[in-house]
Amino acid sequence: MKSSHDEQVLREKCFKLLTKREHSRFELIYKLSQRGFDRPLVEQVVDRMQEEGWQSDERFAQSFAREKVMQRQGRTKIVAQATQQRGVDKALIDQALQRLEVDWFELCQQVYQSKFGSTQPSDRKDWAKRARFLMQRGFSQEQIKFAIQAHDDD
């Protein structure tokens, strides 16, 4: 009897989490296990939620990717966060980012412009500082070079 009660409580907690925002399977299992529920039961409930369409890693990846692009983060950082911190399969996050059709060079340039304006790097040290800033935001070396050189040409 206790098991079916626990399962019902677990389903309710799972619904509550999913109504706030999309969660990856990994996140749900982690959060619910942290609350003292038996891990096999948590996995069983989350699996059932997936089967019923309440939880979807694909939907989570799309939502996560859209949110991070809106925060003007670069592709590498988004992929790393989704796979390492949220447990999403790399193929799913890659697919979600591809659907968004982001111009990463343009986004990198916008981030650069908002941080540094139209000022040019004063020397190599300043150039490196600006490049590190963009790299920490998740942009590639090519995108960074493009963004900084676009302002060198002004």
Side-chain angles (χ1 to χ4, degrees):
M1 185 68 183
K2 186 179 188 312
S3 178
S4 73
H5 175 72
D6 283 353
E7 188 173 342
Q8 184 58 36
V9 169
L10 202 48
R11 266 184 82 79
E12 289 171 12
K13 295 226 181 269
C14 199
F15 270 123
K16 189 174 181 181
L17 288 169
L18 289 169
T19 58
K20 293 179 182 175
R21 69 166 174 85
E22 293 285 348
H23 283 72
S24 68
R25 181 180 192 282
F26 174 85
E27 283 182 302
L28 282 176
I29 290 171
Y30 177 78
K31 286 182 177 183
L32 295 170
S33 295
Q34 290 297 100
R35 294 181 179 174
F37 291 101
D38 186 41
R39 178 136 182 157
L41 182 61
V42 169
E43 290 177 1
Q44 178 186 338
V45 168
V46 172
D47 286 345
R48 192 165 306 122
M49 299 294 274
Q50 278 182 309
E51 291 167 11
E52 295 170 0
W54 296 108
Q55 191 281 325
S56 162
D57 275 359
E58 186 177 334
R59 243 186 357 252
F60 171 79
Q62 291 169 356
S63 170
F64 186 80
R66 192 172 33 258
E67 177 187 344
K68 295 302 176 182
V69 167
M70 295 290 287
Q71 293 172 356
R72 299 179 353 166
Q73 290 184 11
R75 188 179 194 292
T76 5
K77 186 172 184 176
I78 295 170
V79 170
Q81 287 176 336
T83 57
Q84 295 166 14
Q85 297 171 2
R86 308 300 174 103
V88 175
D89 185 74
K90 187 177 182 309
L92 285 179
I93 195 68
D94 284 340
Q95 185 180 56
L97 289 169
Q98 192 172 4
R99 282 189 187 141
L100 291 176
E101 298 179 1
V102 178
D103 182 341
W104 297 105
F105 288 89
E106 176 66 27
L107 184 60
C108 184
Q109 198 169 11
Q110 289 172 9
V111 171
Y112 179 86
Q113 179 76 32
S114 68
K115 175 73 174 177
F116 301 106
S118 57
T119 63
Q120 295 180 3
S122 57
D123 55 20
R124 280 185 97 61
K125 188 176 176 183
D126 189 30
W127 200 99
K129 175 185 160 194
R130 293 172 185 219
R132 270 192 313 276
F133 169 78
L134 293 171
M135 193 172 284
Q136 289 170 344
R137 297 289 303 221
F139 294 102
S140 72
Q141 290 178 348
E142 296 82 25
Q143 294 158 357
I144 292 167
K145 191 174 180 182
F146 174 81
I148 296 175
Q149 285 180 342
H151 292 281
D152 284 347
D153 298 337
D154 290 347

